[in-house]
Amino acid sequence: MSERAMQEPTLLVLTALADRPRHGYAILREVSAISDGRVRLRTGTLYSALERLLAQGLIAIDREEIVEGRLRRTYGLAEPGREALAAEAARLTATAGEAIRRLGGLGAKGATA
């Protein structure tokens, strides 16, 4: 993965898969929970992202099963995805820490130039 910042939907999908494999609907619910309801991925957006992440080797199909006559795929985080997510989390943590430092701490109400 490049040094470029990860797009938020990618970050959220990888985060949703970080603790255990999930199927599509569970990923949608988890992304909403992680973002406190701020991000609600559409089904088409999710499956396009999953196909891209599969092609990039960041996620893998954990298992497939037939549920109510339909194929259900469960996706898991692949090792390259775990590494990319860890790197992005470290980058975001460093950036947030610098922002907090420059604001004078978490309790800062405003800043002056």
Side-chain angles (χ1 to χ4, degrees):
M1 189 129 214
S2 71
E3 297 298 319
R4 199 172 64 107
M6 196 178 277
Q7 295 294 313
E8 187 176 31
T10 299
L11 173 66
L12 291 169
V13 169
L14 294 179
T15 301
L17 295 173
D19 60 343
R20 68 173 191 220
R22 289 184 163 83
H23 58 79
Y25 182 68
I27 296 170
L28 289 175
R29 287 189 320 218
E30 198 65 17
V31 164
S32 181
I34 291 166
S35 68
D36 199 25
R38 187 177 51 78
V39 176
R40 295 183 183 268
L41 295 177
R42 294 176 186 248
T43 304
T45 302
L46 173 66
Y47 285 101
S48 293
L50 291 173
E51 288 301 318
R52 180 177 45 79
L53 294 170
L54 278 167
Q56 292 173 339
L58 299 179
I59 65 172
I61 296 171
D62 185 66
R63 69 180 175 278
E64 295 179 322
E65 59 188 336
I66 303 297
V67 176
E68 296 178 7
R70 296 180 63 185
L71 178 66
R72 176 187 283 178
R73 284 186 174 159
T74 301
Y75 301 89
L77 196 58
E79 190 56 34
R82 187 167 299 284
E83 292 167 4
L85 180 59
E88 183 67 3
R91 187 191 69 76
L92 290 169
T93 298
T95 302
E98 183 60 16
I100 290 166
R101 185 189 70 75
R102 289 178 183 221
L103 287 168
L106 285 173
K109 296 278 186 203
T112 57

